[in-house]
Amino acid sequence: MAEDDKQSYIDYDAFLDPEFSPTAFANSLVIATNNPSDTPIDLSTPLSRVLFDIQEIDTHIHNLTTKSAIPLLTHTKDQADAGERIVADVEAQVASLIEGYQRLQKEVTQRYEEADEVRIAVERLWETVRVGRSVARCLTLGRQLETQMAEVGESGGASAEVKKGDHRAMVRASNTLLSIRKILAASGPDEEGEHLSKINLITYLQNSVLTPAETSLRNRAQQIIREFSMSSLAPASSAPATYSQSEETKSRTTSALLTLQILNPRLLLAALQAYLRTSLTSSLASIARALGNLPTLDRTLLEVSARCQNIVALESLLGTIKPPQAASPEAGAKLEKEAGNLLEPLLAALETSSLPSFFWRSLAESLAPRVGDLVGKGGVNARALRSQKERVRDSIRECVLRGSQGPGHIKFGAGAWEREAAVMVGSVIGSLGR
């Protein structure tokens, strides 16, 4: 093959050069076979040269393949045999992989899919059991609440014996109601009350048992607080309450206070403020009327003293009651914070240090304009009020000191209320002096 390369006139090195350019090679052939001054350029000669070269190369390739046919065929056969052996080995390995994958799919994948189905079924069963337990607990508490509400009794015509003992069931019913509310409120993921809102039976329980029970407990407790009275200054038409009656009143009121505190501390605060407002409004109206009709003043001031005694008794009772630990955490949590008893949140809301002091000062603040109007109108009532100014002064002072002592064993030093007495006297006598 080397000798053929030497005998050939074709420059193979030029064709094999990486920088070989067909256009440059064609241009050199045209220039070599034509004169630059020729107007018509002869392309047949260079074209024949290229065709001859191609034929020469084809002949050369044919000679080479003819001489090397047996080695080429032998080499090709060897390569084909080697390829077949490689393919056979690869096919065996692929078959082994396929068999391994099928075994893996059968032993692992299928078992995993079956196990995953079992897992899903178990999770759903467990979720169903959890919901069932929560529903069962709510229903049990609901039945317990119905029993307790039956003990509380809602009929106004209940016997005195039932009224005497039913108030204790109010606190138990409030705690039961709060327990159910806590379950229903825990509606987050993985919590006890999750999915309960979707249960029709729970919706029925809320509408037919929980809401009516809460309304009944709230109304009954508010009524007991509104009717709270422990004053020893009984009107002439009724006898003073006995010790057992006073203790029963305290016990019943304590149950009412705890009931509202458990249901919602804000309900308790609102009920106590309403009680104070009612006492202030009634006292203000009665004193204003009595100052225009002095013969009724003593009886009116006795009634006002009785109202203040009730407030003193209420303050003493609130100071002995600690907030229950089961009180509702939802509304009014700040009211309970760091409160050692039920009195502290009320004093903080009223911004005062004492309920009797708040009563007398608020009453004096509202009474002064009323007295000013009465004196400003003149007439017989105004002249009578001026003429008996000293009697009015002493009566009002005695009213404050008497009312601030509290009923029964609740006693305070007389000097402790001299400021309140002076404020009340000033609200009336101050207008008379001008």
Side-chain angles (χ1 to χ4, degrees), residues 203-225:
T203 303
Y204 175 79
L205 178 68
Q206 288 179 296
N207 296 334
S208 63
V209 178
L210 302 188
T211 300
E214 184 174 1
T215 301
S216 176
L217 289 172
R218 182 177 65 247
N219 293 339
R220 190 176 183 88
Q222 290 172 341
Q223 179 183 1
I224 292 174
I225 293 176

Side-chain angles (χ1 to χ4, degrees), residues 45-306:
T45 302
L47 181 59
S48 299
R49 170 70 183 273
V50 172
L51 293 175
F52 184 80
D53 289 346
I54 293 174
Q55 185 178 4
E56 180 67 18
I57 293 173
D58 181 66
T59 302
H60 185 61
I61 293 174
H62 178 73
N63 294 333
L64 288 176
T65 53
T66 301
K67 294 179 182 180
S68 305
I70 295 177
L72 288 174
L73 292 175
T74 303
H75 178 73
T76 302
K77 184 179 182 300
D78 293 341
Q79 293 294 321
D81 294 341
E84 290 178 356
R85 288 194 300 271
I86 293 173
V87 169
D89 292 340
V90 170
E91 287 179 348
Q93 294 178 4
V94 169
S96 176
L97 289 175
I98 293 174
E99 183 182 358
Y101 173 77
Q102 291 175 344
R103 185 174 61 255
L104 181 66
Q105 185 179 26
K106 180 179 180 180
E107 296 180 356
V108 177
T109 305
Q110 293 180 356
R111 291 183 181 179
Y112 170 79
E113 292 174 353
E114 294 173 358
D116 192 55
E117 292 177 356
V118 173
R119 178 188 62 82
I120 294 174
V122 170
E123 287 180 353
R124 292 176 178 175
L125 287 173
W126 168 241
E127 196 69 29
T128 304
V129 170
R130 283 184 56 208
V131 174
R133 287 178 178 175
S134 299
V135 171
R137 187 181 176 199
C138 287
L139 293 179
T140 301
L141 291 173
R143 178 58 60 88
Q144 180 178 327
L145 179 62
E146 287 181 326
T147 303
Q148 292 166 343
M149 291 304 298
E151 295 175 3
V152 170
E154 300 180 10
S155 174
S159 64
E161 184 177 354
V162 173
K163 288 184 177 179
K164 201 172 185 179
D166 63 1
H167 63 83
R168 296 177 181 84
M170 293 172 59
V171 180
R172 297 193 297 271
S174 300
N175 282 317
T176 302
L177 181 61
L178 182 62
S179 298
I180 301 176
R181 293 294 189 198
K182 285 182 176 180
I183 295 175
L184 298 178
S187 57
D190 298 329
E191 291 185 331
E192 188 175 9
E194 187 182 9
H195 306 306
L196 287 184
S197 60
K198 303 176 183 178
I199 307 299
N200 293 335
L201 191 58
I202 296 299
T203 303
Y204 175 79
L205 178 68
Q206 288 179 296
N207 296 334
S208 63
V209 178
L210 302 188
T211 300
E214 184 174 1
T215 301
S216 176
L217 289 172
R218 182 177 65 247
N219 293 339
R220 190 176 183 88
Q222 290 172 341
Q223 179 183 1
I224 292 174
I225 293 176
R226 282 196 304 269
E227 297 173 354
F228 175 76
S229 177
M230 289 186 61
S231 174
S232 58
L233 303 175
S237 59
S238 61
T242 63
Y243 176 79
S244 60
Q245 291 174 334
S246 298
E247 290 300 312
E248 174 62 22
T249 299
K250 288 170 61 178
S251 177
R252 185 169 59 253
T253 305
T254 298
S255 297
L257 294 171
L258 289 174
T259 297
L260 291 181
Q261 178 73 7
I262 292 171
L263 293 178
N264 191 330
R266 295 189 184 278
L267 289 177
L268 175 60
L269 188 59
L272 294 174
Q273 290 176 326
Y275 179 83
L276 293 175
R277 281 196 303 271
T278 301
S279 298
L280 281 170
T281 303
S282 302
S283 299
L284 177 62
S286 59
I287 291 178
R289 286 194 303 269
L291 290 177
N293 185 15
L294 289 180
T296 64
L297 181 63
D298 290 340
R299 179 179 178 84
T300 298
L301 292 179
L302 184 65
E303 294 175 355
V304 174
S305 295

